[in-house]
Amino acid sequence: MNNQPIGIFDSGIGGLSILGEIKSLLPNEHLIYIGDTAYLPYGTKSKQIISERANKICKYLLSKNCKSIVVACNTATSAAIHELRSSFSVPIIGIEPAIKPARLRTQSRIIGILATEATLGGDKLQALKQKFGQDIKILHQACSGLVEEIELGDRQSQFLHDLIETYVEPLIKQGVDTLVLGCTHFPLIKDLIQKYAGDSVRVIDPSLSVASELKRQLDIKNIGRKGGSGTTTCFQTGNNKTFETFIKKSNLNYGSPNLITP
Ligand code: DGL
């Protein structure tokens, strides 16, 4: 089992923020990445549609012999992780807004979460807030349109900068000193978010902790690949030129599109 690949998926390029950490932490592992660009964005879709997509992609990854799957998407984790874990027997690692670490760091006792509408409206976030957020104030910001703008890959875009400013500034004005990136697309523009938040604000990117959790699970089951250098191939379900360009610019292998019939 040790030589089998690890599957990673997101709606688009967002999960590459996690893939990067996995590649650094587990350089021996073979990785298959899927961007479900035919259904991007997930954040405005129903729980049922997101669950169906997550299920379909996991089935595909298992048909490619994956020994573990990383749901590199907060929205899909929120909508589907319980179902995925009960349907499939391989270790499935998800990602959720990092309220726990934010609570430990905030001085003002006010934290902000930037995420999609679906993540902010999901039961998972409510449960996290119950568990870790009782003695702090948690402000939400749904970032409509930001995922789509990040997917376009133009970091200089005025519209991208305007959106970030619109979403970040009101939180800072309300006393937020710790900002949680609750969508895997956002670490890709972490420096821009930091710029609009200001130097005194701590921006929390949970990508490394997801990679560490994956390593922990592989170690427990003793299914990690022991040597050699791992390969990475990235596929998409749609045919987005911007996805292809981003993958190639990131020096990753681009697999032929329309791998899974949308
Ligand atoms: N990157 C995803 C997340 O972490 C989903 C973004 C989207 O497709 O709306 O929530």
Side-chain angles (χ1 to χ4, degrees), residues 16-202:
L16 295 173
S17 54
I18 293 179
L19 178 119
E21 299 292 355
I22 294 174
K23 272 167 71 73
S24 316
L25 197 65
L26 300 165
N28 307 132
E29 298 293 344
H30 296 310
L31 308 175
I32 299 177
Y33 183 90
I34 296 180
D36 192 13
T37 55
Y39 279 77
L40 180 109
Y42 280 174
T44 50
K45 299 203 164 53
S46 69
K47 186 172 159 65
Q48 193 196 338
I49 291 177
I50 301 164
S51 293
E52 280 169 13
R53 294 308 297 165
N55 234 289
K56 196 163 183 182
I57 292 170
C58 285
K59 278 193 182 137
Y60 177 82
L61 288 168
L62 291 173
S63 78
K64 294 287 154 199
N65 245 340
C66 286
K67 60 185 174 187
S68 176
I69 292 174
V70 178
V71 184
C73 173
N74 291 262
T75 310
T77 300
S78 170
I81 196 100
H82 295 307
E83 199 185 314
L84 297 176
R85 285 187 179 137
S86 59
S87 308
F88 307 113
S89 59
V90 299
I92 299 185
I93 288 88
I95 179 165
E96 55 192 24
I99 294 179
K100 190 180 171 191
R103 181 180 161 273
L104 295 174
R105 289 180 188 142
T106 177
Q107 299 285 316
S108 67
R109 314 304 293 160
I110 309 173
I111 70 164
I113 304 177
L114 301 174
T116 66
E117 289 91 330
T119 298
L120 293 176
D123 299 339
K124 200 150 178 50
L125 184 69
Q126 287 313 316
L128 272 176
K129 283 170 65 174
Q130 282 293 325
K131 202 163 166 196
F132 302 114
Q134 297 283 12
D135 54 350
I136 53 171
K137 191 167 167 188
I138 302 178
L139 303 180
H140 295 173
Q141 179 63 60
C143 299
S144 311
L146 190 52
V147 163
E148 293 92 314
E149 196 55 29
I150 294 168
E151 285 283 327
L152 295 178
D154 177 8
R155 292 169 48 84
Q156 314 302 326
S157 143
Q158 189 56 47
F159 185 54
L160 173 70
H161 284 248
D162 290 348
L163 278 180
I164 300 170
E165 189 171 7
T166 306
Y167 294 142
V168 170
E169 270 195 7
L171 295 176
I172 308 307
K173 285 202 176 113
Q174 290 171 81
V176 164
D177 70 347
T178 308
L179 206 46
V180 172
L181 303 183
C183 168
T184 54
H185 278 74
F186 301 163
L188 301 175
I189 54 157
K190 185 180 175 194
D191 55 332
L192 300 179
I193 292 174
Q194 185 77 64
K195 177 177 151 199
Y196 287 98
D199 289 341
S200 59
V201 173
R202 189 187 288 263

Side-chain angles (χ1 to χ4, degrees), residues 246-257:
F246 196 91
I247 296 297
K248 290 180 176 166
K249 249 183 26 201
S250 311
N251 283 322
L252 296 165
N253 289 332
Y254 181 66
S256 31

